[in-house]
Amino acid sequence: MSTSIHRVVLSFLGLSGLVLAGCPIYGDTYYSEPQQSGCVRPDDCATGSTCATDGHCYTSTCADVGCPTGYSCALTGGAVQCTKDIAKPDAGPGGCTSDPQCASVATGAKCLNGTCVAPTEQCSDATQCNGNAACVDGVCTPKCVDNTNCPTGYSCDTAKGICSGNPNPCGSGGTACAGTNVCVDAHCVAPCDADNKCGTNLICVQGGCVPDEKPSFVCNTEGVQDACAKGSVCLHHNCYIGCSTDADGSTSCANADRFNLCKNVSTSTGSVNVCGSSTNLGSECDPTQSKNCASG
């Protein structure tokens, strides 16, 4: 018997008050032994099994074990089963659990926080990432010194100083997660709380707490003022002070703080001159123009 004991309250669409014989609506319910781990949709499990809220397949019905994120337990065709909840995301169109699922959405799209994100909406600078995170190839990734700095399910690549390791791969071809941890994108992560909430800089995806990989943007339209202050230009969703190049080496930004070099930056909409630094606003890596960074 699984050590997980859940209290499940079923609400059937259009069938309010219906009680199914033999299926406890309130109180402790019992799980059969898990048959498989790593499921995110009902069809990830074998016939006769149910993908439960904890990301495991059980021979019990959803009346006992619930359903994965994006599905509700309902009476359909004379049997209780997990049906798609249109109001919630799952791993279908627009939703995802891994980058390969986003290949048909856009070239270079990645799975961030459970949804497919095109290169134009991925991060281009660490200032766009929440907390102590770095922008790594379009993804906001927690920084670290050792494993203690990383969230559950991730380990520290000390050479790069980011939490990109996976100490216990799970799901297809992997192992089952220990304890109450759930499998999300092949990582054994801590479960979300009862309100689908997680700790600081973490977000709930498919019932588990994963790093918040999506960037936060200040503006949207490239090459114009947009939401920026007067004299500034929106570039890669951030605001930069506009400048004019000088024949003697661009001194119009000399008195600015750390962004003290006037740089000509090529964008998808044209070139702009803004105050930057020697370590930002480079043109070698720009996913918006299909210029992807070299491996490593």
Side-chain angles (χ1 to χ4, degrees):
M1 182 183 295
S2 167
T3 56
S4 299
I5 298 178
H6 293 247
R7 297 179 183 278
V8 178
V9 179
L10 297 181
S11 178
F12 296 108
L13 299 176
L15 298 173
S16 178
L18 177 64
V19 177
L20 301 177
C23 297
I25 302 302
Y26 298 98
D28 291 340
T29 59
Y30 296 91
Y31 281 15
S32 59
E33 288 295 328
Q35 305 299 304
Q36 173 189 329
S37 65
C39 65
V40 295
R41 293 176 292 185
D43 57 9
D44 289 336
C45 297
T47 302
S49 296
T50 300
C51 183
T53 54
D54 66 353
H56 290 70
C57 296
Y58 295 90
T59 54
S60 304
T61 69
C62 62
D64 291 327
V65 301
C67 296
T69 299
Y71 294 82
S72 297
C73 189
L75 183 60
T76 305
V80 281
Q81 54 188 298
C82 295
T83 59
K84 181 73 177 69
D85 185 343
I86 297 176
K88 297 178 181 179
D90 71 346
C96 58
T97 57
S98 62
D99 290 345
Q101 293 175 317
C102 299
S104 62
V105 175
T107 301
K110 295 187 176 181
C111 183
L112 308 181
N113 296 1
T115 58
C116 293
V117 178
T120 53
E121 302 303 309
Q122 296 169 13
C123 70
S124 58
D125 192 282
T127 59
Q128 299 171 336
C129 299
N130 296 321
N132 185 40
C135 178
V136 182
D137 203 14
V139 181
C140 290
T141 308
K143 291 193 231 179
C144 60
V145 175
D146 54 41
N147 291 338
T148 61
N149 304 130
C150 297
T152 300
Y154 295 79
S155 58
C156 183
D157 180 336
T158 54
K160 296 182 176 66
I162 54 173
C163 298
S164 58
N166 188 354
N168 184 30
C170 55
S172 179
T175 61
C177 295
T180 59
N181 288 344
V182 297
C183 187
V184 180
D185 193 13
H187 291 262
C188 285
V189 300
C192 311
D193 65 18
D195 297 318
N196 290 327
K197 303 293 184 183
C198 296
T200 304
N201 300 322
L202 298 176
I203 189 167
C204 185
V205 174
Q206 303 295 337
C209 294
V210 297
D212 185 359
E213 297 178 327
K214 280 187 177 180
S216 297
F217 295 144
V218 176
C219 57
N220 293 302
T221 307
E222 296 244 316
V224 299
Q225 180 179 335
D226 195 17
C228 303
K230 185 177 180 179
S232 294
V233 178
C234 181
L235 180 61
H236 300 330
H237 297 291
N238 271 350
C239 294
Y240 293 90
I241 298 173
C243 61
S244 58
T245 57
D246 300 321
D248 60 355
S250 308
T251 60
S252 54
C253 301
N255 294 325
D257 157 10
R258 58 194 176 104
F259 296 143
N260 53 16
L261 295 177
C262 189
K263 303 185 71 173
N264 180 264
V265 182
S266 176
T267 75
S268 57
T269 58
S271 296
V272 293
N273 294 325
V274 294
C275 292
S277 73
S278 60
T279 58
N280 83 323
L281 296 176
S283 58
E284 179 184 354
C285 299
D286 185 351
T288 65
Q289 300 183 76
S290 298
K291 294 179 180 179
N292 295 316
C293 297
S295 177

